[in-house]
Amino acid sequence: SSDVCSSDLTYTVGSGCSLSSGTLTVMTSSSTCTVSATIASDTNYNSANSNTLTITRTKADLTITATASSSTKIYGASNPTFSFSTTGLKNSETVTSVTNTFTGTGSYNSTTVPSNVGSYTLTPSAAVFGAGISSGNYNINYATASYSITAASQTASWSVTSIPYSTTKPYDLSTAPAASGTGGGTITYALSAAGSAGCSLTGTSLSWTSAGTCTLTATAGSTSNYNASSAASQTFTISASTALTITATLSSTSITYGGSTPSNSFTASTLLQSDAISSLTYTYEGVSPTSYGPLTTAPTSAGTYSVTPSAAVFSSGSASNYSSVTYTAATLTINKANQSTLSVSSTSGTAGTG
């Protein structure tokens, strides 16, 4: 009735609710409660009871979404920050933490942040609410986020850039190895220019025709976490690091005046690879006190002579394949010949006779 004052009403609440200063609160531990009212009698009316009202508390919808400060990173870079956001919390309630699980490439499934290249899904779960707040107040929906790790760049670099001309051919560039990639990719070699060394390359097998240089490239192949590198160019040196000594030899080091001149030849200390010497120039010069030359014509007079080789002519290879070429002389002695025995004939005459 319109002439009933609220002060005449008495409310009765069932379990699961509380009433304070006219405010009805459904307790968090309950989903329903009942409320009824009683009005006291007065001079004109008897007391009366209301019907019983059942109040049902429904759960609020709450969405918890995984978040990342960056949805992608390059392999090897620092991880982004992973967290979560909420939509639908009521009454200033809070979620303090969630468990983020990563699933994806290579059957990855872990709460540990992945480190290898791939595509991953970040799924939150097991929300922890602030003190005194029950998860039962909410219909929780967990929303995922995407996360990816992309391949990093790598660089190929050379560690072997020179080998001696004396090295056994072919030289396997993968033995040392001559080059490597920062990402561990397989190295592929290529010949850019044969150069003065006359290089040739089959796979990793390098050959050459002379000391000098050629130009090679090395490329590191892609791996699971790295892209292939750009080609690294290198001037590769075949070094002339061995000294060569050429020594004159004679078929005979001593003859008698008038005899046949000995034939000249030579020995070479360290001819390398398939190098060969076809001829030399021999120069004769008298050894004091013998005076002669220097001439390329063999001497005939008695005396002592040096026979010095020079100007080696290579039928294969060249002198430039060696760090130095030293010529060593031989000594030729031409001994004096013995004269025939002198004989004196007797003659007759008269003393004082003209």
Side-chain angles (χ1 to χ4, degrees), residues 3 5 10 19 21 45-46 52 62 104 110 112 129 133 135 141 146 155 186 190 210 232 234 257 259 268 275 322 346:
D3 57 353
C5 296
T10 301
L19 181 65
S21 301
Y45 293 95
N46 293 319
T52 299
L62 172 63
S110 176
T112 300
F129 286 78
I133 302 170
S135 61
N141 173 53
S146 295
T155 302
T186 301
S210 62
Q234 177 64 49
Y257 172 76
D275 291 357
Y322 302 87
S346 81

Side-chain angles (χ1 to χ4, degrees), residues 204-222:
T204 61
S205 297
L206 178 68
S207 294
W208 54 92
T209 59
S210 62
T213 61
C214 56
T215 304
L216 304 175
T217 63
T219 303
S222 62

Side-chain angles (χ1 to χ4, degrees), residues 28-101:
T28 57
S29 59
S30 176
S31 60
T32 62
C33 71
T34 59
V35 180
S36 62
T38 301
I39 187 170
S41 63
D42 60 15
T43 56
N44 295 314
Y45 293 95
N46 293 319
S47 63
N49 296 321
S50 73
N51 62 307
T52 299
L53 175 66
T54 300
I55 299 175
T56 301
R57 179 179 62 86
T58 60
K59 295 181 179 181
D61 291 330
L62 172 63
T63 299
I64 300 176
T65 304
T67 62
S69 59
S70 176
S71 62
T72 185
K73 77 160 191 173
I74 297 173
Y75 174 79
S78 298
N79 289 328
T81 300
F82 299 99
S83 187
F84 62 93
S85 64
T86 60
T87 302
L89 283 170
K90 304 299 182 181
N91 304 318
S92 301
E93 294 178 346
T94 59
V95 173
T96 58
S97 67
V98 298
T99 299
N100 280 324
T101 301

